[in-house]
Amino acid sequence: MNKLKDEKSPYLLQHAENPVNWYPWSDEAFNRAKEEDKPVFLSIGYSTCHWCHVMKRESFEDTEVAELLNDTFISIKLDREERPDIDNIYMTVCQMITGKGGWPLTIIMFPDGRPFFAATYIPKIGRGSMPGMLELIPQIKSIWRQKRSELMQVAEKITEKLNEPAYHPHEDNTVSSELTDKTYQALAASYDNDNGGFSHAPKFPTPHNVLFLLRYYFETGTKFALHMAEKTLYAMRMGGTYDHIGHGFHRYSTDSRWHVPHFEKMLYDQALLAIAYTEAYQVTRNPFYEKTAREILTYVLRDMRSYEGAFYCAEDAESQGQEGLFYLWRYDDIVKLLSPDESKIVTAIFNIKAEGNFHDEITGSLSGMNILYMVKTAGTQAESELLESALKKLYNERTKRIPPGRDDKILTDLNGLMAAALAIAGGAFNDDSFIKAAKGSVLFIENAMATESGALYHRFRDGHSAINSTINDYAALTWALIELYETTFESTFLTKAVKYMDFILDNFWDNEASGFFFTSKTSETLIARQKELYDGALPSGNSISLYNMLRLSRITGSHTLEEKALTFIDAFYGKIREHPAAYPFFVLAAGLAHGKRNEIVVAGNTDESVKILKTLRQNFLPNSVFVLKSTDTGGDNPTDYTKDMSGIDGKPAIYICTGNACQKPVTDLSEALRIVSSTF
């Protein structure tokens, strides 16, 4: 056993019996590197990463490679999900050096943390122009001994580049709709007309692109924006990236048609996709989207929720050492399990072939296995019932298989995202079970992951909370609290959202250049203190925080918060304008600062007013915030601007405020919706 044996991370524990003398990220490791005058070999990954498993089997379990590593380096193994602050820095380094990134991430650096080499997956033995571990390590050892000054120059340049300011102020100090239009144009230019989505293979879901497009359609009436969103959502749901038997989405598609997935399932994908399908339902009222959103959340509540009510990180791509094995089917096995009629419809709808439809990853030939992806839909009610019956039988049969491994870490940011998704779906579908689950997740974070000072821990596992939270954690939790307020109208959620927003501003805000640092002012000092703005696999903490700031400023009437948000947008306007499609959630959030927007306040008896608010919230009104002004209880009135609002003739009154002016209140719900619609 190496020095990982006492760690909590499932990823680190996977490597605890490697012959590599791994250290966790620690002062001990870096001090040892200084004492022995060795470079540091940093390997970053996560427990459900397929290529991390491949590199582990090929190199880190191999004694020949291990001997080279132990002789040349002090080796550190890091879970990117536990320490996203470290991962973000060195992933940026990898992208700077190689022009690409991914996991496993390999960094070689000086004992003070300054890097001079970066790569992703490295095979044991070289392939073509790619050197393998057996060739690379001796080369590094030789250069370290003979040309260290050159390595130092490289490390200094990289570290200097990392610490350059990441903002470009907007020259005329104004906020306009320019970013919104440019983002739409960029997404339209990258859109795959044939298959949906916004790239070629590999193809990632990027649900925040869909969220942006739905809002762009709402605000401008541009039908092609809705078309891009719908076709992408439809294609993903029909494809093999969706688990048609057990539900939930796989990480991404290896092909452009969404047919062949990379099989891991991530909690953050489920959360963001559930929001996208929920909002698509609100826009179109197409039950296909509601069904999909409900199925995603059913999967999460069934398979990814802890007994305490929080949510685990991910499920692996592999079972029994083979990627996708749990999800693949032989033609004969399907035919034997199902009735003739069920077999006929399943094989037709899901393109099941006797020779298989799934190609071997190495040889490229048909493997005899099938992945379920839909090439057509059930045409009649009878076919739908047969299909439903068949899928239940396939699900029950699949439960007998050895399932993929599960990363049972509980992370604050991912639980915040899932709680937000559950609250949004609960409100849209009037489903109390989703709202209850959202509350349970938030309650767990508050009870198990909060410190005495009011700060939050990032990770909980095996009864143990640890690791300082980043901006992502506080931003996601605040988002969940805002959604829970606007779904339940229980003032305690709004009070907590304001509390965490204040904490974020005190501990993460850059008073000189605006925006939020990824780490707090009390966090570990690393070689750079970054601001993460890019909306990658999930929206950045800065983007979500901007969204939260603008919503809270309008719910509470805080001009100070709104002014800070406008300063924030201004500081990064120029940077985002250069590549707007890389920041769709930031642009989506910035859209709340300009154009038409509403504050909808319902004043009156609490129970009756909440019913009206919940009905209003079932509509797609993304530029509106919703506030309860209770006239029969104390402490439920969150802002001064509602103090003079009251019911009319014993009925709740609906106040619609636009641009710092409120229209005459109405008591009729349909009239209120008409007024709201006319303001856009």
Side-chain angles (χ1 to χ4, degrees):
M1 300 284 276
N2 52 45
K3 293 182 179 291
L4 303 180
K5 63 183 177 63
D6 295 323
E7 293 297 307
K8 295 294 184 182
S9 160
Y11 176 64
L12 300 191
L13 292 173
Q14 288 173 356
H15 293 265
E17 296 185 15
N18 292 169
V20 179
N21 186 26
W22 292 116
Y23 287 77
W25 182 276
S26 60
D27 289 340
E28 180 187 6
F30 289 102
N31 290 336
R32 189 71 178 270
K34 292 173 186 175
E35 291 168 6
E36 298 187 11
D37 191 31
K38 289 181 175 180
V40 171
F41 181 92
L42 174 63
S43 178
I44 304 176
Y46 55 103
S47 72
T48 60
C49 164
H50 170 62
W51 285 102
C52 299
H53 298 329
V54 173
M55 194 167 176
K56 170 177 172 282
R57 289 190 291 264
E58 283 185 351
S59 294
F60 301 143
E61 292 178 353
D62 182 85
T63 55
E64 185 180 9
V65 174
E67 286 175 5
L68 287 172
L69 285 169
N70 295 339
D71 176 63
T72 306
F73 305 110
I74 295 299
S75 298
I76 295 176
K77 179 61 74 171
L78 187 88
D79 184 338
R80 64 169 290 260
E81 294 174 336
E82 279 198 334
R83 293 300 303 267
D85 52 340
I86 298 169
D87 177 62
N88 278 1
I89 289 172
Y90 292 109
M91 182 58 70
T92 302
V93 168
C94 186
Q95 291 165 340
M96 286 166 53
I97 293 175
T98 70
K100 60 183 180 180
W103 298 275
L105 174 61
T106 304
I107 300 290
I108 303 177
M109 56 192 179
F110 283 89
D112 62 4
R114 290 183 294 174
F116 58 83
F117 175 87
T120 52
Y121 163 76
I122 304 173
K124 176 184 174 181
I125 301 171
R127 300 173 185 170
S129 61
M130 179 192 294
M133 295 289 280
L134 295 180
E135 297 88 14
L136 177 67
I137 298 172
Q139 291 173 13
I140 296 291
K141 184 176 181 178
S142 174
I143 297 171
W144 178 259
R145 287 179 173 176
Q146 300 173 20
K147 299 180 180 180
R148 193 177 306 187
S149 61
E150 295 179 14
L151 296 180
M152 181 62 75
Q153 290 175 6
V154 172
E156 287 175 350
K157 287 181 180 179
I158 291 170
T159 306
E160 183 180 344
K161 185 72 174 176
L162 277 174
N163 284 281
E164 288 181 356
Y167 66 96
H168 305 274
H170 186 39
E171 292 178 1
D172 60 7
N173 199 38
T174 61
V175 174
S176 73
S177 61
E178 179 191 19
L179 279 182
T180 305
D181 292 335
K182 281 184 172 292
T183 305
Y184 167 74
Q185 291 160 10
L187 290 176
S190 65
Y191 174 66
D192 182 344
N193 282 289
D194 295 324
N195 305 296
F198 303 92
S199 68
H200 300 292
K203 187 168 282 186
F204 290 83
T206 55
H208 27 298
N209 287 347
V210 172
L211 301 182
F212 170 83
L213 289 169
L214 292 174
R215 283 158 178 74
Y216 194 82
Y217 167 72
F218 176 82
E219 293 168 15
T220 68
T222 305
K223 292 183 178 179
F224 192 64
L226 180 61
H227 167 78
M228 287 191 286
E230 286 207 80
K231 183 161 185 173
T232 299
L233 292 174
Y234 184 81
M236 287 194 298
R237 173 61 178 79
M238 294 283 284
T241 46
Y242 187 72
D243 179 0
H244 295 273
I245 293 174
H247 308 314
F249 277 90
H250 298 295
R251 180 67 196 93
Y252 63 85
S253 176
T254 62
D255 68 313
S256 62
R257 297 180 297 169
W258 305 101
H259 283 182
V260 183
H262 180 58
F263 288 92
E264 63 189 314
K265 290 182 177 179
M266 316 303 291
L267 182 63
Y268 57 79
D269 281 328
Q270 314 312 319
L272 294 167
L273 285 163
I275 295 172
Y277 281 95
T278 298
E279 291 194 348
Y281 169 75
Q282 288 180 305
V283 172
T284 66
R285 295 297 163 179
N286 185 339
F288 173 82
Y289 300 128
E290 177 182 2
K291 184 175 186 291
T292 304
R294 285 184 175 276
E295 287 178 351
I296 294 169
L297 297 176
T298 296
Y299 155 70
V300 170
L301 293 172
R302 183 191 67 221
D303 292 348
M304 298 191 75
R305 183 163 56 165
S306 73
Y307 71 89
E308 304 103 330
F311 297 98
Y312 301 130
C313 281
E315 286 191 314
D316 209 324
E318 293 187 1
S319 52
Q320 298 175 265
Q322 184 176 334
E323 185 185 8
L325 182 63
F326 183 73
Y327 301 100
L328 299 173
W329 295 84
R330 294 190 182 278
Y331 175 86
D332 290 345
D333 292 337
I334 289 177
V335 172
K336 289 176 184 176
L337 178 66
L338 304 179
S339 71
D341 287 342
E342 290 170 338
S343 296
K344 182 178 179 181
I345 195 165
V346 165
T347 55
I349 284 179
F350 292 108
N351 195 37
I352 306 299
K353 305 290 187 183
E355 65 275 18
N357 64 20
F358 184 76
H359 290 79
D360 183 88
E361 184 178 26
I362 297 174
T363 67
S365 59
L366 288 171
S367 63
M369 305 296 284
N370 289 275
I371 181 71
L372 272 64
Y373 58 83
M374 299 180 74
V375 292
K376 65 177 185 175
T377 58
T380 66
Q381 182 63 31
E383 287 181 342
S384 295
E385 291 173 359
L386 270 175
L387 182 61
E388 196 70 24
S389 171
L391 290 174
K392 286 180 180 178
K393 289 182 181 179
L394 291 171
Y395 174 80
N396 290 334
E397 181 66 19
R398 200 176 73 176
T399 60
K400 300 173 185 177
R401 299 177 176 180
I402 298 173
R406 183 172 62 194
D407 188 324
D408 60 357
K409 293 193 308 291
I410 292 168
L411 301 181
T412 297
D413 55 344
L414 303 191
N415 273 262
L417 291 177
M418 182 49 65
L422 285 160
I424 291 168
F429 306 142
N430 194 26
D431 191 320
D432 288 339
S433 68
F434 292 155
I435 298 169
K436 182 179 178 181
K439 289 181 177 180
S441 176
V442 167
L443 183 63
F444 177 86
I445 293 171
E446 293 178 319
N447 289 342
M449 303 182 74
T451 68
E452 292 182 0
S453 67
L456 295 170
Y457 288 118
H458 172 61
R459 186 265 287 145
F460 176 93
R461 185 174 185 269
D462 196 22
H464 185 255
S465 295
I467 306 173
N468 290 336
S469 278
T470 69
I471 185 64
N472 290 8
D473 296 295
Y474 292 99
L477 179 60
T478 304
W479 185 9
L481 290 166
I482 295 171
E483 297 298 347
L484 276 168
Y485 171 72
E486 288 198 333
T487 299
T488 67
F489 299 96
E490 297 173 19
S491 62
T492 181
F493 293 118
L494 182 60
T495 301
K496 291 174 180 176
V498 171
K499 180 190 77 170
Y500 283 116
M501 192 75 251
D502 289 342
F503 186 94
I504 293 170
L505 290 167
D506 288 342
N507 289 274
F508 293 87
W509 182 257
D510 183 348
N511 290 310
E512 294 182 4
S514 177
F516 297 98
F517 289 110
F518 192 76
T519 54
S520 81
K521 60 187 180 184
T522 61
S523 295
E524 176 184 354
T525 301
L526 302 170
I527 62 169
R529 192 181 180 202
Q530 289 188 303
K531 289 179 190 170
E532 180 65 34
L533 207 66
Y534 172 61
D535 295 326
L538 62 165
S540 71
N542 267 291
S543 297
I544 297 174
S545 292
L546 177 62
Y547 188 58
N548 294 338
M549 292 169 78
L550 288 164
R551 290 177 72 187
L552 284 175
S553 71
R554 291 165 56 196
I555 292 172
T556 65
S558 171
H559 295 296
T560 301
L561 200 54
E562 184 175 27
E563 287 170 4
K564 253 188 174 15
L566 294 176
T567 302
F568 184 10
I569 296 168
D570 178 63
F572 291 91
Y573 193 104
K575 178 180 178 63
I576 291 171
R577 183 172 53 183
E578 293 173 3
H579 303 287
Y583 312 98
F585 203 90
F586 187 97
V587 179
L588 173 160
L592 296 176
H594 63 77
K596 297 176 180 178
R597 54 192 185 166
N598 291 318
E599 293 81 47
I600 301 175
V601 184
V602 179
N605 172 274
T606 301
D607 291 342
E608 294 177 8
S609 298
V610 167
K611 287 180 181 177
I612 292 172
L613 283 163
K614 286 184 175 181
T615 302
L616 286 167
R617 275 275 287 168
Q618 290 174 17
N619 295 275
F620 186 66
L621 300 170
N623 283 9
S624 298
V625 295
F626 300 84
V627 181
L628 168 65
K629 165 63 187 298
S630 176
T631 58
D632 61 351
T633 61
D636 284 340
N637 304 314
T639 176
D640 287 341
Y641 74 80
T642 66
K643 64 183 179 181
D644 295 326
M645 296 179 180
S646 61
I648 299 174
D649 297 331
K651 296 180 180 180
I654 305 168
Y655 293 78
I656 300 166
C657 307
T658 307
N660 299 317
C662 297
Q663 300 193 30
K664 183 178 179 181
V666 298
T667 58
D668 182 71
L669 185 59
S670 59
E671 175 65 9
L673 285 170
R674 187 195 65 77
I675 294 171
V676 171
S677 299
S678 69
T679 62
F680 292 99

